[in-house]
Amino acid sequence: MVSTSSTDGTSSTDAAGTLLIANRGEIALRIIRTASRLGWTTVAIHTDLDAKAPHVASADRAVRVGSYLDVDEVVAAAVASGAGFVHPGYGFLSERAPFARALAEAGVTLVGPSAEVMDSMGRKDRARDIAVAAGVPVVPSYGDEDDPSTFAYPVLVKAAAGGGGKGMRVVRSADEYDAARAAAAREALSSFGDDTLLVEKYVESGRHVEVQVMGDSAGRVVHLFERDCSTQRRHQKVLEEAPAPTISPEQRAAITSSAVALAAQVGYAGAGTVEFLLDNATGEFYFLEMNTRLQVEHPVTEEVVRVNGEKVDLVELQLRVATGEPLGFEQGEVTLHGHAVEARVYAEDSFGGFLPQAGRAGQVGWAGEHDWTMSWGAGEQPVVRVDHALLSGQEVSSAYDPMLGKVIAWAATREEAIDTLVRALDDTRIFGLTTNTGFLRALVDSAQFRQASIDTAWLDTDPFERGEVAAPSRDLARALAALALTGGGAEEQAAAGAVPPSTLGDPWRADGFRVAAASAPTLVQLDELVAVGDGRAGDHQATWLGGYLPHRGPSGGVGHVVAEVDGQTHRAEVVRRGDTVELVHRGQRFVFVVPDPFRDSGAAAGDGTVLAPMPGTVLEVRVAVGDRVEEGQPLGMMEAMKMELALKAPYAGTITQVEAAVGAQVPLGAPLFVVEPGEEDR
C-alpha cells in the first residue's frame, strides 16, 4: 500500500478526523473501509428506505436525510455530525458545484476538486475550450451558425451539460438534423435544465479509453495509466478493464500525457478521469470529457497500478490530498502490473428489455465469498475482488441506481484475467431477484470481447440477436432443474441433511412435485414436461453426477446439482419453495413453476389481465371501465429507474377493470387492467 508523509513528518493518520460519506451502497462501503483503516471517524447518511442498509451499519455514526440529492440537508448533516470532510463518492452530488460551494461556506472540506474546477469541467463546451488551450486533441465540431447541409455526416448532437447518454442523438443526414436536434434539446432541458448542444463529428467505430489522474494542492499532477470502457450499452458502461488492450505504447504515451496536461491546465487536485474516444479507423484520439470524481471502475486501476512496487488505494490518495498532503511520488515511480477486468452487476432483466428489478433478495453468494474485500497483496495468483452492498434478505428499491456490486478479476495476463472473471461470475448466485450476471458472463466469455475486437457501438447492435454471443439457455437450465429434483445420490443428500427425491415411493407430493417411484422413469413438470430417465432430460443427453437439495421449508435452502449434459459438465445452484424452483446457472437466474396436478390451470389461458412488468410508479391511466380498446393500444404508462414503459392491451376488447391509479407505487406483477374480448374479437 502506498504510504506518504507530509512535509512536517506527520502521516495522514494524524490528520484524520470525521468524514461524512454523502452516498450509499457499495461506494459508501468502499470509502468507509479505507477511511476506517486510516483512523477516520465515519458518518453515513441515509433515507428512510436505507435505514437498515449495509453502509449504515458499517459507519461509526449515521444521520437521516430526506434525499441524497438535497444540498442543504446533506451540508446540515455534515455540520451537525462534526464532520470536517465530506466524500461524495460518485453520482448524486459528486459533481455538483453548488454542493462544493455550500460545503466551503459551511467550513467543511469536500474530498474532491473545487467548485470552480467543477464549473469549468462540468460542461462539455467549457471543457472542450480548456482542452484546446492545453493542446489536447478534440473532436472536430460545427457551430450554430454553420449550415447543416454542409456537414460531413454522420454527426453527433449532444448536451453540453450532464452525461450518461442523455440529450444525445446520432444524425446521418441533413434531412434528419432539425428533428434530432430538437429532440436532444428537449431531453437535455428535462435532464439537466440546460438545452445547450454541441455538434461534433461522429466516430463510427471507436474505443472508449480514459485516464486516471491524481493532483495535489501543490500543483503536481500524475496519471495512473488508462482503462478501456468500450463495452457500453446506450453510453452506459458494462465492462471495464485496465490497461487498454488495443493501444500501442506510442498511443498510451500520447493519451496519458494529454490527460495530465488537461488536469494541469485547470489546476486539478484530487482524483479525476479524462475520457477519450479512440478512432479505430485512423488511430487518432479525441478528448470527450472529464469526470471530476472517483469513477465506478476505479478498482481495475487499483489492481494493476503499482507505485514503487506497491498497490495504490485511490480513496486513500483522495483523503491525503484533501488534508493538504502532497502525492508523495513522481510519475516515473508509477508502473503497470498484470491485467484487471470489472463487471457491473445490476438489478435488471437483461433478456427482458433491460427492465429494472426490485424486491427482496433471497440467498446471496458472491464469488469466493469475498464480501466487501480488497485484494491487497495478491502476489502472482489470480485474484477476485468483489465490491458490493447486497446481502441475503435485503430489500432492493427501484428508487435508486440498480447497481448492486462489481466483480473484478486480476491476473498476470489479460486472457487469465478474463478466465478468472468468467469463473467468478459462475460462482455468483443471487436468488429472489433477477440480475444481469448471466448477461455479463456471456459477454466476458464471448470471442469478440476476448479478442478485443469490439467498439462502443457493439452492444447496441445486439450481438445476442446476431448470434455472436450465446445467451443463457432456459432449455438447459430446465434440464438441470429436473435433474436436481430427481437425481440419485441418496447417500450424499442424506449426509447433507436432505431428502433425495428419487427415494420417495409416493408418486404425488402435496407440494406439487410429481415424482414417480424409484424403479420407474421420473417425470417432473417444469413449464413443460421433462422426462428424466434412460439417460435423458427432455431433448438433452444428461447424467446426474452429484449434488443435493435441502429439506423443503418456508425459508428454503440452497442446494446444487452437478450434471453432464450433452457431453459438458455443468453446475447450478438450486432453491425450492413450494411449487417454485429457482436455479442459478452461469450467473443467470431461472424460475420454474411446478403446477399442482390437481389444480385446473386452463382458466388462465387467454386471461386479459395486464400486470406490472416491473416495480415502479403509475404515470398515466388512459382508459376507464367500459372503454373499447384495440390490440396493442396503450392503456397507461409506468416509470421505474427513470425508464418509461407503455402498458398495452393484449388483444382487442373492452376494459372491465382498472386497478391502476396515477401516482401509485405498484410491485412487480400487480394487476393493473383487465381486457375482456367481445364475441367479435374471439
Side-chain angles (χ1 to χ4, degrees), residues 449-638:
F449 184 79
R450 285 181 176 274
Q451 295 163 6
S453 61
I454 66 170
D455 59 22
T456 55
W458 179 57
L459 268 186
D460 289 332
T461 59
D462 199 347
F464 291 92
E465 181 69 24
R466 294 195 308 272
E468 292 180 2
V469 183
S473 169
R474 184 173 180 84
D475 192 37
L476 173 58
R478 184 184 291 109
L480 291 170
L483 288 170
L485 292 172
T486 63
E491 293 183 3
E492 180 181 347
Q493 296 197 45
V499 178
S502 59
T503 64
L504 300 173
D506 182 3
W508 295 105
R509 298 283 296 165
D511 59 13
F513 294 116
R514 180 179 181 179
V515 182
S519 59
T522 302
L523 298 179
V524 177
Q525 181 144 337
L526 296 171
D527 295 346
E528 63 188 50
L529 199 64
V530 176
V532 182
D534 300 324
R536 300 197 66 79
D539 295 329
H540 298 276
Q541 185 71 31
T543 304
W544 188 93
L545 299 178
Y548 69 93
L549 288 174
H551 284 297
R552 295 175 173 85
S555 61
V558 178
H560 71 270
V561 58
V562 181
E564 183 179 284
V565 182
D566 299 333
Q568 291 190 341
T569 301
H570 296 267
R571 177 189 171 103
E573 310 298 321
V574 189
V575 168
R576 298 186 299 174
R577 293 185 183 86
D579 61 358
T580 299
V581 180
E582 266 189 272
L583 178 138
V584 176
H585 176 238
R586 293 181 172 175
Q588 183 69 27
R589 170 180 176 254
F590 298 90
V591 180
F592 301 103
V593 176
V594 185
D596 185 337
F598 301 108
R599 184 190 306 129
D600 179 9
S601 59
D607 184 2
T609 303
V610 178
L611 306 177
M614 58 183 177
T617 304
V618 177
L619 294 180
E620 187 179 359
V621 175
R622 300 183 181 179
V623 294
V625 172
D627 286 357
R628 168 79 185 175
V629 296
E630 299 302 321
E631 180 178 350
Q633 179 178 333
L635 310 179
M637 297 289 292
M638 278 189 62

Side-chain angles (χ1 to χ4, degrees), residues 637-669:
M637 297 289 292
M638 278 189 62
E639 186 271 340
M641 297 302 303
K642 300 181 181 178
M643 179 186 297
E644 294 187 5
L645 188 73
L647 303 162
K648 298 180 179 180
Y651 40 67
T654 301
I655 299 294
T656 60
Q657 282 184 250
V658 176
E659 302 295 335
V662 174
Q665 297 284 329
V666 296
L668 173 70

Side-chain angles (χ1 to χ4, degrees), residues 45 154 163 246 291 347 359-360 370 374 421 534 560 596 647 672 675:
I45 61 172
T246 63
N291 290 300
R360 187 175 299 279
H370 288 294
M374 299 177 70
L421 184 56
D534 300 324
H560 71 270
D596 185 337
L647 303 162
L672 301 178
V675 180

Side-chain angles (χ1 to χ4, degrees), residues 103-187:
L103 285 173
E105 291 170 1
V108 180
T109 300
L110 177 71
V111 181
S114 67
E116 291 70 29
V117 169
M118 288 187 188
D119 279 334
S120 298
M121 304 309 297
R123 287 182 56 93
K124 295 180 177 67
D125 49 359
R126 294 176 191 165
R128 178 188 175 91
D129 292 340
I130 293 170
V132 170
V136 177
V138 296
V139 182
S141 66
Y142 300 95
D144 287 336
E145 69 284 357
D146 294 331
D147 181 356
S149 66
T150 65
F151 294 175
Y153 291 93
V155 298
L156 181 66
V157 177
K158 64 181 183 180
K166 300 288 187 182
M168 189 177 293
R169 297 290 188 278
V170 176
V171 187
R172 299 193 174 277
S173 71
D175 292 340
E176 302 173 4
Y177 180 77
D178 288 341
R181 183 181 177 90
R186 284 194 302 271
E187 190 171 64

